[in-house]
Amino acid sequence: MKLRTARPGRPGRRTLIAAASVSAAALVLSGCGVGGSGEAASDTDELTVVVEGGGKAELQPIADLYKEETGTTVTLVELPYAGLYDRVSSELQAGQPSFDVAALDAIWLPAFAPALAPLDDLYTDDVESDLFGGLVSEAKVDDSFVGMPVWTNSEILFYRTDLFEDAQNMADFEAEYGYALAAPTTWEEYRDVAEFFTRDTDGDGTVDLYGTDVKGAVETEWLATVSQAGEETMVLDAATGEVTIDSAAHQEALDFYVSLLPFAPAGAAQLDWAGSQNLFYQGNLAMMRFWGHAYRQTPDDSPVKDSIGVAPMIGGPAGVAGVPGAWYLSVPASGAKQDAAKEFVAFAYEHNALAADTSLGLVARKSAFESKAGEPGFENYPALVTTLEAPQSLPRPATPEWQEIVDSVLVPLMQKAVEPGADTAQLLSEAKSQIEAIVE
């Protein structure tokens, strides 16, 4: 989900082909290069952390406290998403990183893992028990943990309380659908509510309020729907290489996804995260499924600013599911200050709750979410926790080719699927062949 006003876990679209940019062989060699874990005490009074966009704000209070308690200055170097990827990639390949710690998008870990220092000693039973299961599994590549979660995210349900709590709407909905109007929890309820609120509100003969949106320019929301349908290996099984995108669950999820088109604005093929937010904040949507951090980003001049409710992500046949949008702190294996870097990573985990009061308010530990229970302004936290704790909230496949698959297969698939008359079964079959060609 910049720390995603546009995409969860990563901002703006960009083709980042990990397999081409960072070969595993090159990274393995770089891990034996300059640096190592030997470090003089005089060299550890300053650490450099490279971080993307909004992530600097999340880490700043932790860096400030680290300076206060240890005397070590932590310099946060802020880079755009693509720039961060490129810098980490090139410097790990060269074996001479200019940074001591990097904040990495979860989808990058499989590509960079051969050049990252193991953090296994930080993953105690207590640490693992305070992290969501998907974050723990995502941090482990092959047999080692190569990142410590610093913040996480997921789509949840946003809805307009002014519409849902209106007495006439409540009476009309129950009369038409046979049950009380409330934040939907299932596919069926979501479709009903979306249909009910799609209407002409000013009497000019054109629809100006839609029940939902359908995002064709992004893949993650559909992937959450795939997990909701019961699929355990979305798109492909990274362990075996088997491509599963044409399974019955993928088909069911895609058919549900496109079934919402009559209740969504036109132009779905081009609608992305930013476009969805704009529609909701302008009052054109009754509901949207969106990354939880957006709860604190409503513009002051939005007509719905004081009428936004949040609930867990909706569920399908297998229940509630979102896609975790996590970022991790990792240490380069060729870094000159590995021990000091790992100490900062451990400190950042210990003081993760400090990030709750930042602009995006994203944290990673369960206890950090729980620390804000009942506080005004953190109403999105229970919805995030419920979604992230759901058994079907599964991480994306741990394959170095994931970004290439997204950009060259999944997004084009979604854009075609939301066009009138699309043959979803055929599209999934074609996508399978395309992905097989990438991972073979």
Side-chain angles (χ1 to χ4, degrees), residues 40 42 58 102 164 189 235 262 268 290 402 406-407:
S42 60
E58 308 300 290
F164 277 70
E189 291 173 358
V235 180
F290 206 89
W402 181 247
V406 168
D407 291 331

Side-chain angles (χ1 to χ4, degrees), residues 306-358:
D306 298 319
S307 303
I308 297 177
V310 286
M313 185 57 156
I314 61 172
V320 169
V323 175
W327 283 70
Y328 293 79
L329 293 183
S330 297
V331 177
S334 54
K337 304 177 185 178
Q338 288 184 52
D339 293 341
K342 289 179 182 179
E343 288 177 9
F344 176 71
V345 171
F347 185 90
Y349 168 83
E350 187 66 27
H351 298 278
N352 182 243
L354 291 175
D357 292 311
T358 60

Side-chain angles (χ1 to χ4, degrees), residues 106-180:
I107 66 168
W108 299 346
L109 292 182
F112 292 149
L116 299 177
L119 301 178
D120 299 332
D121 54 332
L122 300 185
Y123 274 82
T124 65
D125 290 343
D126 287 343
V127 167
E128 291 194 37
S129 67
D130 201 21
L131 295 172
F132 301 101
L135 272 63
V136 175
S137 63
E138 206 166 34
K140 194 169 191 177
V141 180
D142 296 327
D143 296 322
S144 293
F145 291 103
V146 294
M148 178 63 73
V150 63
W151 57 79
T152 190
N153 207 349
S154 174
E155 277 187 277
I156 57 176
L157 175 65
F158 288 73
Y159 63 97
R160 286 179 50 184
T161 56
D162 59 327
L163 297 176
F164 277 70
E165 296 172 3
D166 177 81
Q168 189 62 56
N169 284 339
M170 294 170 69
D172 291 347
F173 182 88
E174 186 159 10
E176 184 172 351
Y177 295 95
Y179 61 94

Side-chain angles (χ1 to χ4, degrees), residues 123-303:
Y123 274 82
T124 65
D125 290 343
D126 287 343
V127 167
E128 291 194 37
S129 67
D130 201 21
L131 295 172
F132 301 101
L135 272 63
V136 175
S137 63
E138 206 166 34
K140 194 169 191 177
V141 180
D142 296 327
D143 296 322
S144 293
F145 291 103
V146 294
M148 178 63 73
V150 63
W151 57 79
T152 190
N153 207 349
S154 174
E155 277 187 277
I156 57 176
L157 175 65
F158 288 73
Y159 63 97
R160 286 179 50 184
T161 56
D162 59 327
L163 297 176
F164 277 70
E165 296 172 3
D166 177 81
Q168 189 62 56
N169 284 339
M170 294 170 69
D172 291 347
F173 182 88
E174 186 159 10
E176 184 172 351
Y177 295 95
Y179 61 94
L181 176 62
T185 60
T186 67
W187 287 0
E188 293 77 13
E189 291 173 358
Y190 193 83
R191 190 187 290 112
D192 286 348
V193 176
E195 179 183 50
F196 176 75
F197 279 119
T198 300
R199 59 181 67 168
D200 170 14
T201 63
D202 56 15
D204 67 355
T206 60
V207 174
D208 55 358
L209 175 64
Y210 294 89
T212 184
D213 62 353
V214 175
K215 306 176 188 73
V218 295
E219 84 294 341
T220 321
E221 188 165 289
W222 172 61
L223 294 178
T225 310
V226 170
S227 291
Q228 292 162 17
E231 181 60 69
E232 299 290 340
T233 53
M234 66 172 76
V235 180
L236 79 158
D237 185 335
T240 65
E242 178 188 4
V243 179
T244 60
I245 195 169
D246 62 342
S247 74
H250 284 84
Q251 175 79 57
E252 185 178 15
L254 190 56
D255 287 343
F256 166 72
Y257 198 75
V258 301
S259 76
L260 298 172
L261 284 167
F263 321 121
Q270 302 308 316
L271 189 67
D272 59 10
W273 299 111
S276 173
Q277 274 187 299
N278 290 336
L279 286 168
F280 187 76
Y281 292 151
Q282 290 167 9
N284 299 126
L285 302 179
M287 301 181 293
M288 71 170 178
R289 294 158 292 179
F290 206 89
W291 301 94
H293 73 270
Y295 186 70
R296 302 173 69 147
Q297 294 188 315
T298 308
D300 289 337
D301 61 354
S302 168

Side-chain angles (χ1 to χ4, degrees), residues 2-18:
K2 317 165 183 99
L3 188 62
R4 299 321 262 191
T5 28
R7 279 171 72 98
R10 10 178 241 293
R13 178 158 300 283
R14 150 122 165 132
T15 301
L16 301 173
I17 303 178

